[in-house]
Amino acid sequence: MSIAAQQNSNMMVALNDSQWALVNQLSSTLSSQQLNWLSGYLAGLAQSGQSVQAVQSSVANDKKLTILYGSQTGNAKSVAAEFKALLEAKNIPVTLSNMADYKAKQLKAETHLVVIASTHGEGDAPDDAVELHEFLASKKAVKLPDLKFSVLGLGDSSYEFFCQTGKDFDQRLADLGAKRIIDRVDCDVDYDDACQAWFGAVIAKISDELLQQSATPAVTSNARAQASNKASVYNKKNPFSASLLESQKITGRDSVKDIRHIEISLEGSGIQYRPGDALGVWFKNDAALVDELLQLLSIQPSATVELAGAKYTVRDALINQFELTQSYPTFISAYSAFTQNKQLIDLATDKEALRTYLASRQIVDIVREYPAHVTAQQLLDCLRKITPRLYSIASSQDEVEDEVHLTVALLQYDNEGNLRQGGASSYLAARLEAGGELGVFVEHNDNFRLPDDPNTDVIMIGPGTGIAPFRAFMQQRQADEAEGKNWLFFGNPNYTQDFLYQTEWQRFVKEGVLTKVSLAFSRDQEQKVYVQHRIKEQGAELYQWLEKGAHLYICGDANHMAKDVHDALIHVVVEFGGKTAEQAELYLTDLRRAKRYQKDVY
């Protein structure tokens, strides 16, 4: 008998037709994580010699907590992983899943569920949460009277639709009959303390019930354990002290923009990143800005304040620990009480007017306009903690090794004769000298990845600093000797002043790495031209690339550019695909579900 025949014979002996039917029926309902767990579980049974029936009674009635996360930039994913580790340490059975990998129909089998979801744009769900979000709002959603749940929302209170995705999940689960473990918590950008409080409250409610069901720790798959072992020891709470190698301006002298190419050394860190990831940067506030604020409030820089049981001077605390360059509603709410100014108090209750007011003012501008008598401690109590800024990584480690590169636009503007600059961008571009140290960590972004198959074609749309990850993409594609074609759409104001990394793109074209470049310099002609115009002009070819399997990527401004590009893509699919507008939307939705339409927008 041949080897192939022997193998076929063994397969037929191993399982009969009825058993194969049961296996197929079960596997079709399982997520990839559940399949991984099951394979390890069955292997363990085989080694121990136990039958499924022998252990079924010990697990069949076990309840567990399922954590589902939807994350655009990685924050919700990190919070979910932290919560999972905390539950495992307490021997509470738990599974963790990205919403994109979770089959919505599994909800009816869940007993305890927590949802951790971020919000981006105008109340939009993260890309990996869209499908589950839409399912729960549809008529297909099943009733869930036996489910207990809680929701943690992540967002930014400066935006109109603060934590809208979390609010949606909370309401829809309740409408389906599920019961809340605890009420939803909405977290602002400084979310650490709120998350810890939520962790504790959920655990207090579920511990007795779940621990009564299972006396053994939750099973962790080998794959997850290996991934955990490989994770960097450096993260948001424990950043690596890196050194700045270079901050070079890459726009021309007459450009309306000041954009810097930043190089940072990661030598000795062991940090690994992939194209598509972001670098988190902890920065310090400008000492001159802090001194201006303290002078306006007549607070002595040496005044002592207490934070988490430790004492600092107010000046040091403001430089290192509090957000001053981005204004936020919670500051207005707290500070207005000290001013007793009716106009400011009324402004705090008008959300639309407040967003407009805050958009062009830093904390010091508000204090200058509405002075108050506050102590150093009272001032800090009005402020929120500083949070790191995330920048799309502009390099591949196969090219730069123990370095990481960024493309940073220096934010600066005039406010009544006072120069105002972005906190992190000015720190990197102007205040930190070469050799200076800064705290960094990598935020992995699995929603913005090159295709696994190097033969797949890639379309990249990245105006302005949105070019950053595509520089990393091309370095990686060259290192991998990828055969797939690459097409770049790039736009900025002027060709001679703002063609970022121009010589590198020319080299990529010359060496055959970059197949096609479509440029849109808006101010080089009387009528402004943007990348969305180039997309429409070359729509026939772009649609053919998509039909042949190309992956599509967008990086840059979420408020305007990403919407305009999406509308242009709809136009292309309608015109060259012969579809209606609704069908075109579904076409792009299908691309997104297949991980062929990915966005890194901010």
Side-chain angles (χ1 to χ4, degrees):
M1 182 182 294
S2 69
I3 294 176
Q6 180 67 49
Q7 289 175 333
N8 289 334
S9 175
N10 289 341
M11 289 176 65
M12 295 302 295
V13 171
L15 295 175
N16 60 37
D17 289 344
S18 298
Q19 290 170 326
W20 270 117
L22 289 172
V23 169
N24 289 331
Q25 182 180 1
L26 174 62
S27 62
S28 66
T29 67
L30 299 180
S31 68
S32 58
Q33 283 189 321
Q34 288 174 314
L35 288 169
N36 285 336
W37 179 88
L38 184 60
S39 64
Y41 170 71
L42 293 175
L45 285 181
Q47 291 178 355
S48 66
Q50 290 180 287
S51 67
V52 173
Q53 290 82 358
V55 296
Q56 190 172 18
S57 61
S58 69
V59 298
N61 295 320
D62 273 0
K63 297 178 181 179
K64 62 176 174 57
L65 181 70
T66 294
I67 302 172
L68 295 181
Y69 69 86
S71 186
Q72 191 68 29
T73 62
N75 286 338
K77 179 181 178 181
S78 297
V79 171
E82 183 179 357
F83 188 39
K84 174 179 178 289
L86 187 61
L87 291 162
E88 288 179 331
K90 296 180 178 294
N91 285 344
I92 295 175
V94 57
T95 61
L96 174 68
S97 179
N98 185 327
M99 291 182 189
D101 300 326
Y102 186 81
K103 296 183 184 300
K105 293 183 179 180
Q106 291 174 222
L107 283 171
K108 61 186 177 183
E110 303 286 2
T111 60
H112 296 74
L113 173 75
V114 298
V115 170
I116 301 175
S118 64
T119 298
H120 73 105
E122 295 185 3
D124 298 326
D127 289 345
D128 53 9
V130 169
E131 195 164 352
L132 182 61
H133 187 263
E134 291 176 347
F135 173 83
L136 289 176
S138 72
K139 294 180 180 179
K140 296 180 181 179
V142 296
K143 296 296 182 182
L144 302 168
D146 299 323
L147 178 67
K148 297 179 181 179
F149 77 97
S150 188
V151 174
L152 182 73
L154 302 182
D156 184 340
S157 61
S158 300
Y159 289 89
E160 180 179 0
F161 300 99
F162 175 54
C163 288
Q164 188 61 48
T165 303
K167 294 173 183 177
D168 291 344
F169 276 115
D170 182 68
Q171 186 60 53
R172 289 167 185 173
L173 288 169
D175 290 344
L176 293 171
K179 304 297 187 296
R180 292 181 179 89
I181 299 169
I182 63 169
D183 288 341
R184 184 192 76 250
V185 170
D186 298 330
C187 298
D188 214 334
V189 292
D190 53 340
Y191 53 77
D192 288 335
D193 292 344
C195 287
Q196 294 300 324
W198 182 82
F199 292 166
V202 172
I203 289 173
K205 287 287 187 178
I206 65 172
S207 289
D208 290 346
E209 183 174 356
L210 294 187
L211 287 174
Q212 286 173 0
Q213 298 295 328
S214 176
T216 59
V219 176
T220 303
S221 73
N222 289 336
R224 289 203 304 272
Q226 291 171 1
S228 177
N229 290 337
K230 292 180 180 178
S232 171
V233 297
Y234 299 108
N235 52 42
K236 179 181 176 182
K237 294 183 178 180
N238 180 40
F240 174 67
S241 183
S243 61
L244 179 69
L245 296 174
E246 184 176 357
S247 174
Q248 177 185 1
K249 186 178 180 183
I250 54 175
T251 44
R253 179 186 304 173
D254 298 323
S255 174
V256 296
K257 298 182 177 183
D258 185 341
I259 298 178
R260 305 297 179 102
H261 172 71
I262 307 291
E263 297 185 359
I264 296 169
S265 173
L266 300 177
E267 186 175 358
S269 69
I271 289 176
Q272 298 292 307
Y273 61 84
R274 296 170 61 189
D277 288 340
L279 188 75
V281 175
W282 285 98
F283 64 96
K284 296 181 180 181
N285 286 312
D286 188 350
L289 180 69
V290 170
D291 291 339
E292 181 183 354
L293 176 62
L294 292 175
Q295 184 177 9
L296 287 171
L297 292 169
S298 299
I299 295 174
Q300 291 298 317
S302 59
T304 302
V305 293
E306 185 170 324
L307 303 170
K311 293 184 182 296
Y312 305 86
T313 68
V314 65
R315 187 175 190 269
D316 286 344
L318 289 172
I319 289 174
N320 295 293
Q321 299 191 50
F322 289 91
E323 184 62 72
L324 299 180
T325 55
Q326 290 183 349
S327 298
Y328 32 93
T330 52
F331 175 77
I332 298 292
S333 299
Y335 181 72
S336 61
F338 293 107
T339 67
Q340 290 299 303
N341 185 291
K342 186 178 185 303
Q343 182 180 358
L344 190 61
I345 292 172
D346 290 344
L347 182 63
T349 62
D350 187 338
K351 292 184 178 180
E352 185 173 349
L354 181 58
R355 281 193 303 275
T356 301
Y357 176 80
L358 294 175
S360 60
R361 290 169 175 83
Q362 297 187 350
I363 297 298
V364 67
D365 300 315
I366 299 169
V367 169
R368 182 182 295 278
E369 191 172 353
Y370 297 100
H373 296 289
V374 296
T375 66
Q377 191 68 54
Q378 287 170 335
L379 171 63
L380 299 194
D381 290 343
C382 293
L383 298 169
R384 72 184 184 193
K385 290 293 185 68
I386 206 167
T387 54
R389 303 294 193 259
L390 295 178
Y391 293 99
S392 300
I393 291 175
S395 56
S396 161
Q397 278 192 299
D398 282 345
E399 173 72 19
V400 303
E401 298 181 342
D402 287 337
E403 295 180 10
V404 61
H405 297 176
L406 308 176
T407 310
V408 177
L410 173 59
L411 172 64
Q412 53 186 355
Y413 59 94
D414 178 84
N415 182 282
E416 298 185 357
N418 298 299
L419 177 64
R420 299 302 182 213
Q421 295 182 321
S425 65
S426 66
Y427 185 64
L428 290 169
R431 291 186 283 118
L432 189 65
E433 296 182 355
E437 294 188 351
L438 68 162
V440 302
F441 61 96
V442 169
E443 194 73 75
H444 299 289
N445 185 2
D446 292 332
N447 293 320
F448 204 74
R449 291 283 186 239
L450 280 167
D452 292 333
D453 183 356
N455 295 313
T456 303
D457 297 339
V458 165
I459 302 169
M460 303 164 288
I461 304 169
T465 55
I467 199 74
F470 302 135
R471 180 177 184 263
F473 277 21
M474 290 301 94
Q475 288 181 355
Q476 190 65 54
R477 296 276 272 187
Q478 185 169 47
D480 293 340
E481 298 182 353
E483 294 294 328
K485 296 186 295 184
N486 304 293
W487 184 354
L488 173 69
F489 286 84
F490 173 72
N492 236 354
N494 299 106
Y495 176 85
T496 58
Q497 303 294 319
D498 306 301
F499 193 171
L500 308 183
Y501 303 111
Q502 178 181 356
T503 57
E504 293 188 31
W505 296 118
Q506 290 171 336
R507 176 174 58 82
F508 283 135
V509 170
K510 183 178 180 180
E511 294 174 355
V513 180
L514 189 58
T515 311
K516 187 177 178 68
V517 182
S518 298
L519 301 173
F521 292 101
S522 59
R523 301 187 185 184
D524 279 351
Q525 59 283 310
E526 184 176 350
Q527 186 174 1
K528 291 185 177 180
V529 176
Y530 299 104
V531 289
Q532 59 266 27
H533 298 121
R534 298 300 186 217
I535 289 170
K536 291 179 180 179
E537 289 172 3
Q538 303 185 52
E541 184 176 0
L542 189 149
Y543 184 72
Q544 288 303 312
W545 278 49
L546 292 177
E547 284 292 279
K548 292 177 181 178
H551 284 218
L552 176 66
Y553 301 87
I554 301 173
C555 182
D557 171 54
N559 294 325
H560 302 291
M561 182 279 298
K563 295 176 186 176
D564 292 339
V565 166
H566 184 84
D567 290 343
L569 292 170
I570 292 294
H571 174 87
V572 166
V573 176
V574 168
E575 182 173 357
F576 300 103
K579 303 180 187 299
T580 66
E582 289 184 357
Q583 290 171 334
E585 284 284 3
L586 182 59
Y587 181 88
L588 294 182
T589 296
D590 289 341
L591 290 183
R592 176 182 49 74
R593 287 172 175 163
K595 298 289 187 180
R596 289 180 51 207
Y597 179 20
Q598 301 184 36
K599 294 181 288 186
D600 177 11
V601 296
Y602 40 83

